[in-house]
Amino acid sequence: MKNKYLIANELVKIIWPLIVKYKFFQSRKLYLFNSAINPIPLVLAATEDFNFNSSVAVFDGDGGDFQRFDSIKSIPDIETNKRTRIYESIHLNSNEWPSFSTSQFSRLSRRRIVCGLYVSNYGDKGIGLHKDEWDGIIIQTSGAKNWVIYDDECIEHQITLNAGDVLFLPQGFNHDVNTNLHSEHLVFAFLNTLITSKTPLNLPKPPHFVSV
């Protein structure tokens, strides 16, 4: 297995030039890069058993309640009430390569960034149709995920992300997802907060990543 620092460096070297080339933060356009990366080193081994030391968020479907638990093992009905699991702020709560990638992306963009891991199986409930308040870099690390995305002109885009694919999703684009069999994907959320020497520590926290 590659050193986690090397994995982080290689990922940033692939993704950051794409961000610059396509002026992602300014363009307000959706970008999909098929097979942009080798997904094998990116898989976080034994995801559901790995100790991220992070909270896990779940949703009870469209318009349902949002719940947060200390760990995957503390969700009481995990076997009977199937829901997408969101491992929050793994850039802070683990010592894996996403921590180092997040730091590098933040240094290059001068923006505050949080990283979350989304894990789902067929039939799992999710957030439903929604929009996010950040620019998202989505990396499919395992399995596949179906996306329906509506851009600023309300044009519908149907996309399937497979392992190794990368999606640039501008903030404010409505989207919904579903899983055929199994899916794991990372979201690097580029927040609107610019990092300066005077950036306060007690910043407002985005709703999906309350533990940042």
Side-chain angles (χ1 to χ4, degrees):
M1 177 63 100
K2 288 186 177 180
N3 180 289
K4 56 190 174 185
Y5 301 104
L6 292 178
I7 295 174
N9 287 335
E10 290 179 3
L11 180 70
V12 173
K13 285 181 180 179
I14 292 171
I15 300 241
W16 183 252
L18 295 175
I19 292 175
V20 173
K21 178 180 180 180
Y22 293 96
K23 299 181 180 179
F24 172 53
F25 301 131
Q26 296 81 32
S27 69
R28 297 287 303 160
K29 292 183 179 179
L30 186 72
Y31 292 102
L32 170 64
F33 304 96
N34 294 119
S35 302
I37 57 175
N38 176 10
I40 295 176
L42 303 183
V43 175
L44 296 165
T47 299
E48 298 286 37
D49 297 320
F50 190 81
N51 182 17
F52 289 111
N53 295 316
S54 66
S55 59
V56 182
V58 293
F59 293 83
D60 283 331
D62 294 349
D65 293 332
F66 171 83
Q67 294 178 294
R68 179 173 286 104
F69 299 89
D70 292 336
S71 69
I72 191 70
K73 295 179 180 179
S74 64
I75 301 177
D77 55 353
I78 189 65
E79 295 299 327
T80 57
N81 190 4
K82 302 295 187 180
R83 293 167 287 180
T84 297
R85 284 81 67 204
I86 306 172
Y87 293 82
E88 301 181 301
S89 302
I90 64 172
H91 63 295
L92 296 178
N93 300 315
S94 76
N95 195 32
E96 290 295 309
W97 64 265
S99 300
F100 306 106
S101 293
T102 301
S103 296
Q104 292 186 51
F105 281 136
S106 185
R107 175 179 57 82
L108 291 166
S109 66
R110 303 305 302 165
R111 293 172 69 171
R112 185 169 177 245
I113 300 170
V114 295
C115 180
L117 173 66
Y118 289 61
V119 181
S120 62
N121 298 305
Y122 173 76
D124 283 357
K125 299 175 185 176
I127 303 172
L129 185 66
H130 70 286
K131 57 186 177 182
D132 297 322
E133 298 176 357
W134 57 75
D135 293 309
I137 303 295
I138 293 94
I139 300 174
Q140 190 74 28
T141 58
S142 178
K145 196 83 166 182
N146 301 316
W147 293 69
V148 178
I149 304 169
Y150 300 90
D151 61 23
D152 284 335
E153 298 179 354
C154 295
I155 296 174
E156 180 180 297
H157 304 265
Q158 296 188 25
I159 295 171
T160 296
L161 291 185
N162 295 294
D165 293 346
V166 175
L167 176 68
F168 289 5
L169 181 65
Q171 62 177 305
F173 279 25
N174 277 305
H175 57 280
D176 197 1
V177 297
N178 66 76
T179 305
N180 291 334
L181 293 174
H182 176 75
S183 171
E184 295 179 18
H185 73 268
L186 284 167
V187 175
F188 290 92
F190 288 69
L191 307 185
N192 293 324
T193 305
L194 295 179
I195 295 177
T196 69
S197 59
K198 297 182 180 180
T199 300
L201 297 178
N202 57 338
L203 294 167
K205 299 173 181 179
H208 294 17
F209 299 98
V210 170
S211 61
V212 299

